[in-house]
C-alpha cells in the first residue's frame, strides 16, 4: 500500500485515492482536424515508462481534488506531488 | 532428446534416477540467427517451437533476461478457458484450448492439462444478463458454455455458498472444457521440444537495444551478452513490451500493471473445479500439489515492481471466505505480483509492429496464460510468413487507429 502526499491534505494511505492515469494529456482543441492516427494517439497511446511517470491521482476520500505526481514505476517511490496546472518539479524530473 | 514413456520412467526409476540428461542445452549466443524471439515465457518459447516444427525455421534463438518462465508464465493462476464474447476472441482462445487438449502428447511432456470446468458466478441481475449473453454468443460460435441455476452451480461445486452472503449467487456460466495446466511445465515442455529441434534458448540475456539498417528494417538486437544479428525479431515480453518496442521507436497502447496472486498451504483434494467471480472479485482453483491458487485484482497504478498492495490480496481473500466459508481458517503461504500489459480494449495485439522485420505479441493483460499455445502458434505463422494467420488478423496494432476494437472488458474477468 502506497503512502501518498496530497498537496492539500498531506500524507494519506492509498485507499483514500483513485488513480487517474497519465498526467498532462491535453485534449486536442479541434478533434475534427486530426488524422485517425493523431486521434488514436490522444485516445490510446500512453507513456508506460519503466522509470519516472507523471500521473494523476484524486484524493476521493479526502479533499476530493485531483493533483499530479511523479512516481518511479521501478520502485513505486513518489518523487513529488504537485497541484494541477503546475509544471512537474524539475529537480524530481532530473533524478530519473 | 530423451523421450519420456512409462517404460523409460520405470527403467530410470529402477536405476536410481541416474542417467537423465538436461532437458535443454545451455546455449551460448551465436553472432547471427534467422530469427530471434525476445522473451522466454510460454508465448515466446511456444513461438520458437512452432517456428521450428511447423515453419522449418530452426536457426533461431529465444532471448530471456532472467530464467525461462520467470515472468508471468510462472506467476499466473493457470486458468484456461475460451468463453470470450466476440467471435474473433472466441476463435483465438478456442484455438488455444484445442491445442491444449493434445499438448502433452505433442511435446512428450506432461503439462498436466486438466479440463475440470470453469464456473463463472453471477451475483446481480446485470451479471446474469452479461453471463447469459456470453453463453449464447459462445454457443453460436461453437464454444461450449452453459447456464447453471444456483442449485446446479452448487451441485457442480459443492463447497460453494450460494445464499448466506452479501451478494448471493444468482447463477453461473460453466465452461466444461475449461480448466487448469501446470504453468512451469508449459515453459519447460516448449523449451525442451524447441531445443530438440535446434532452437537456442539463451537465458540471462537482456535485450538493451534493437538494431536497424539504413532502410529502417530490423537487423538484430543489442544484448547484455553482445550484439546478435537477425532479420526477424518477435517480441513476446508481456509487461515489458513497451520498454522493448521503445528501443525501435514503436509506441504501443499498453499500460503495465501489477497483478497479484497467492497460494495457501497444501491440503488434500477438496476443490473440484475453477470458480471465478467478477463482481466480488476472486478466482480460485486447487493445484495438484494441494495448494489453493487464488487470483486477486490489478493494482490501481502502473508499475514494474512485480509486487502490489496487501489491500488488493486481502480483498480477494474476503471474497473467497464469503463464497467458501470452510476456507476461512486456511493459511496463505505466498503471494506475488506479475506485470501485465493491458490494452484499451483488453484484447491482445499480435502482428506487425510497423517496423519491417519486427513483430509483436503483447497486450494479453490479465489473461495470457490460457492462450499460450494458440498465441504462440499464430505468432509463429505471422513471423514465418510476414502476414497474420486468419485467427490473429483482427488483432492488429492498427485496430486502435481504425476503430475496430475487440472490447472484451467483461470477458477479461479481472477488474481493472
Amino acid at each position: 500500500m502506497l503512502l501518498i502526499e496530497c498537496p492539500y491534505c498531506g500524507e494519506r494511505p492509498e485507499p483514500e485515492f483513485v488513480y487517474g492515469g497519465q498526467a498532462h494529456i491535453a485534449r486536442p482543441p479541434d478533434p475534427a482536424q486530426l488524422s485517425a492516427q493523431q486521434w488514436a494517439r490522444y485516445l490510446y497511446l500512453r507513456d508506460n515508462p519503466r522509470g519516472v511517470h507523471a500521473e494523476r491521482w484524486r484524493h476521493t476520500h479526502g479533499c476530493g481534488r485531483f493533483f499530479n505526481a511523479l512516481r518511479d514505476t521501478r520502485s513505486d517511490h513518489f518523487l513529488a506531488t504537485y497541484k494541477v496546472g503546475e509544471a512537474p518539479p524539475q529537480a524530481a524530473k532530473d533524478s530519473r | 532428446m530423451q523421450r519420456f514413456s512409462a517404460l523409460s520412467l520405470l527403467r530410470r526409476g529402477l536405476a536410481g534416477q541416474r542417467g537423465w540428461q538436461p532437458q535443454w542445452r545451455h546455449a551460448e549466443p551465436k553472432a547471427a540467427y534467422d530469427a530471434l524471439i525476445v522473451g522466454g515465457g510460454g508465448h515466446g518459447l511456444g513461438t520458437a517451437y512452432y517456428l521450428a516444427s511447423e515453419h522449418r525455421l530452426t536457426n533461431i534463438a529465444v532471448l530471456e533476461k532472467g530464467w525461462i518462465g520467470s515472468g508471468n508464465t510462472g506467476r499466473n493462476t493457470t486458468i484456461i478457458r475460451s468463453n470470450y464474447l466476440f467471435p474473433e476472441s472466441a476463435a483465438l482462445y478456442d484455438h488455444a484450448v484445442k491445442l491444449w487438449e493434445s499438448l502433452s502428447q505433442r511435446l512428450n511432456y506432461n503439462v498436466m492439462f486438466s479440463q475440470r470446468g470453469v464456473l463463472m458466478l453471477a451475483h446481480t441481475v446485470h451479471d446474469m444478463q452479461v453471463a447469459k449473453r456470453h453463453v449464447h454468443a459462445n454457443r453460436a460460435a461453437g464454444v461450449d458454455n452453459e447456464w447453471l441455476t444456483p442449485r446446479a452451480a452448487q451441485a457442480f461445486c459443492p463447497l460453494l455458498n450460494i445464499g448466506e452472503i452479501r451478494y448471493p449467487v444468482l447463477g453461473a456460466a460453466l465452461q466444461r472444457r475449461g480448466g487448469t495446466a501446470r504453468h512451469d511445465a508449459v515453459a519447460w515442455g516448449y523449451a525442451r521440444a524447441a531445443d530438440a529441434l535446434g532452437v537456442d534458448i539463451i537465458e540471462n540475456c537482456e535485450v538493451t537495444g534493437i538494431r536497424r539498417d539504413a532502410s529502417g528494417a530490423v537487423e538484430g538486437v543489442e544484448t547484455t551478452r553482445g550484439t546478435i544479428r537477425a532479420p526477424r525479431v518477435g517480441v513476446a515480453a508481456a509487461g515489458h513490451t513497451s520498454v522493448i518496442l521503445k528501443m525501435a521507436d514503436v509506441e504501443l497502447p499498453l499500460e503495465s500493471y501489477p497483478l497479484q496472486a497467492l497460494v495457501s498451504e497444501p491440503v488434500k483434494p477438496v476443490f473440484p473445479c475453477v470458480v471465478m467471480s467478477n463482481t466480488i472479485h476472486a478466482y480460485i482453483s486447487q493445484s495438484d500439489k494441494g495448494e489453493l491458487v487464488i487470483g486477486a485484482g490489478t493494482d490501481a497504478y502502473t508499475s514494474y515492481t512485480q509486487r502490489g498492495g496487501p489491500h488488493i490480496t486481502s480483498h480477494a481473500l474476503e471474497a473467497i471466505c464469503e463464497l467458501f466459508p470452510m476456507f476461512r481458517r486456511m493459511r496463505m503461504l505466498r503471494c506475488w505480483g506479475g506485470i501485465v500489459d493491458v490494452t484499451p480494449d483488453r484484447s491482445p495485439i499480435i502482428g506487425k509492429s510497423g517496423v519491417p522485420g519486427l513483430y509483436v505479441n503483447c497486450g494479453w493483460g490479465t489473461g495470457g496464460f490460457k492462450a499460450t499455445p494458440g498465441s504462440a502458434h499464430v505468432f509463429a505463422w505471422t513471423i514465418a510468413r510476414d502476414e497474420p494467420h486468419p485467427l490473429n488478423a483482427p488483432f492488429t496494432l492498427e485496430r486502435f487507429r481504425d476503430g475496430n476494437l475487440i472490447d472484451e472488458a467483461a470477458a477479461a474477468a479481472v477488474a481493472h
Side-chain angles (χ1 to χ4, degrees), chain B residues 103-185:
Chain B
L103 193 61
S104 293
Q105 288 76 14
R106 175 158 185 167
L107 298 179
N108 181 235
Y109 202 91
N110 187 3
V111 300
M112 297 166 74
F113 179 49
S114 160
Q115 292 177 296
R116 58 185 68 181
V118 174
L119 197 62
M120 297 180 81
L121 305 178
H123 300 271
T124 64
V125 171
H126 179 69
D127 272 2
M128 289 175 70
Q129 290 165 343
V130 170
K132 285 183 177 174
R133 188 180 171 206
H134 276 72
V135 167
H136 295 312
N138 288 158
R139 293 170 77 116
V143 173
D144 80 300
N145 200 353
E146 58 193 280
W147 176 254
L148 301 185
T149 63
R151 286 262 168 253
Q154 198 178 40
F156 188 77
C157 182
L159 306 186
L160 182 63
N161 175 18
I162 55 174
E164 303 297 314
I165 52 177
R166 172 74 176 81
Y167 293 101
V169 175
L170 303 181
L174 170 64
Q175 186 177 27
R176 293 184 191 269
R177 286 163 65 237
T180 60
R182 171 81 201 280
H183 50 3
D184 294 327

Side-chain angles (χ1 to χ4, degrees), chain A residues 1-2 14-15 19 21-22 36-37 40-41 44-51 53 55 57 71 73-76, chain B residues 65 239-240 242-243 251-257 299-305 307 309-311 344 400-401 405:
Chain A
M1 190 181 297
L2 307 179
E14 181 193 336
Y19 179 68
Q22 186 181 328
Q37 190 67 51
R41 162 178 290 274
Y44 301 124
L45 287 187
R46 298 294 177 262
D47 284 347
N48 201 27
R50 187 171 184 273
H53 187 225
E55 60 196 20
W57 287 84
R71 181 177 54 90
T73 62
R74 293 166 297 189
S75 61
D76 293 338
Chain B
K65 75 171 175 178
H240 284 69
S242 300
V243 178
E251 292 179 305
L252 295 168
L254 294 176
E255 289 188 294
S256 296
Y257 291 90
D299 279 78
Y301 47 84
T302 60
S303 177
Y304 286 82
T305 57
R307 61 173 182 260
H311 59 293
F400 297 98
R401 179 197 65 200
L405 303 191

